[in-house]
Amino acid sequence: MKKKPNSVQNFNNKGRESEKKRKILASAIKIFGEKGFQNATIAEIAKEAGIGDATIYEYFKNKEDILLAIPVEITKELIPQIHDHMMGIKGALNKLRKFIWWWLNYVEKNPGYGSIVLLELKTSKTYVTTEAYQAARNFYQILLDIIQEGQEEGTIKKEINIYLARSLCVGAMEHIIIRWLLKDKRYSLIQYADELADLLIDSLKSTD
């Protein structure tokens, strides 16, 4: 009689499956980032991942399914990472400065991911109906929490609309990132972090 796999075996199997999926997504980020979504092929992603084309279809329905899965999976890692970086930082304005620096630094080190999110996904009409869009909302909820914290501690204007304030911060960061991506990343992105933080903080901080 065939023995049932024990819980350790099940865990190991899940671990291997998860690792294979991560490898596919990492390869897709590289290929999409270099060639763009439209020009990239499943075959190229499979080759980069060192697997057969058929293996990809065990995890994803098509190329678009891979594209939409990328921010969903990456955001699961980014949120704990940024929370770790916020540990020990006192004050909402200091946290806002840290968030700006951390995000620009992350994109500079991972330009393929920046291209996928800002040049591929956000230009799609159906983006707002996807799980990828919800992942972006979850990520930028951190900014909303920082702004609310600042209002509660009195360092950010209480009369300011927190959603507009978040849009101001997100829009400014994304504009700088998109410009950097379109200019072929010829300069350091984080050189703008301090100046951008100063401008945003000056526009949000309470004068009381």
Side-chain angles (χ1 to χ4, degrees):
M1 188 171 72
K2 187 181 288 187
K3 290 176 68 176
K4 291 183 178 179
N6 59 34
S7 58
V8 174
Q9 288 173 318
N10 282 332
F11 178 80
N12 288 336
N13 288 338
K14 287 180 181 177
R16 284 192 290 271
E17 293 300 298
S18 176
E19 184 57 35
K20 193 173 289 185
K21 185 177 181 180
R22 284 173 56 84
K23 196 171 184 180
I24 293 169
L25 292 176
S27 299
I29 290 172
K30 185 174 186 297
I31 299 299
F32 290 156
E34 290 175 353
K35 306 193 71 171
F37 174 72
Q38 295 297 337
N39 295 326
T41 66
I42 292 287
E44 288 170 326
I45 296 169
K47 183 178 179 181
E48 178 67 28
I51 58 176
D53 294 15
T55 304
I56 288 184
Y57 291 106
E58 294 176 15
Y59 298 90
F60 303 100
K61 293 181 290 187
N62 49 40
K63 194 170 68 168
E64 185 179 19
D65 196 29
I66 299 174
L67 180 71
L68 292 172
I70 289 170
V72 174
E73 295 302 319
I74 295 296
T75 301
K76 291 176 184 176
E77 300 175 2
L78 294 185
I79 291 175
Q81 283 181 31
I82 187 60
H83 280 310
D84 284 346
H85 278 270
M86 293 291 180
M87 292 282 286
I89 296 179
K90 303 294 185 184
L93 298 181
N94 290 329
K95 289 179 181 179
L96 177 58
R97 183 177 295 278
K98 180 63 176 184
F99 184 96
I100 292 166
W101 182 92
W102 181 88
W103 183 226
L104 295 184
N105 183 60
Y106 179 86
V107 174
E108 182 166 325
K109 291 179 177 177
N110 300 274
Y113 182 68
S115 295
I116 287 166
V117 173
L118 298 178
L119 300 183
E120 301 287 354
L121 283 174
K122 290 209 169 183
T123 57
S124 168
K125 291 181 180 178
T126 59
Y127 172 62
V128 294
T129 65
T130 67
E131 194 178 348
Y133 174 72
Q134 187 57 51
R137 285 173 59 86
N138 292 341
F139 178 67
Y140 285 130
Q141 176 66 37
I142 299 168
L143 272 178
L144 206 60
D145 293 340
I146 290 171
I147 294 164
Q148 287 180 306
E149 179 183 332
Q151 287 185 326
E152 289 167 6
E153 68 187 21
T155 56
I156 289 178
K157 299 170 186 173
K158 293 187 184 297
E159 70 275 13
I160 205 166
N161 182 308
I162 59 173
Y163 298 100
L164 286 177
R166 179 181 61 179
S167 294
L168 175 68
C169 295
V170 172
M173 287 188 293
E174 292 190 350
H175 177 79
I176 287 173
I177 293 170
I178 289 170
R179 184 172 178 271
W180 177 74
L181 290 168
L182 293 177
K183 286 184 172 289
D184 296 326
K185 308 172 284 292
R186 292 196 301 264
Y187 50 86
S188 172
L189 185 57
I190 59 171
Q191 68 176 303
Y192 295 109
D194 283 337
E195 189 174 359
L196 177 60
D198 288 341
L199 287 169
L200 291 174
I201 287 170
D202 284 346
S203 69
L204 298 176
K205 72 180 179 181
S206 172
T207 55
D208 294 339

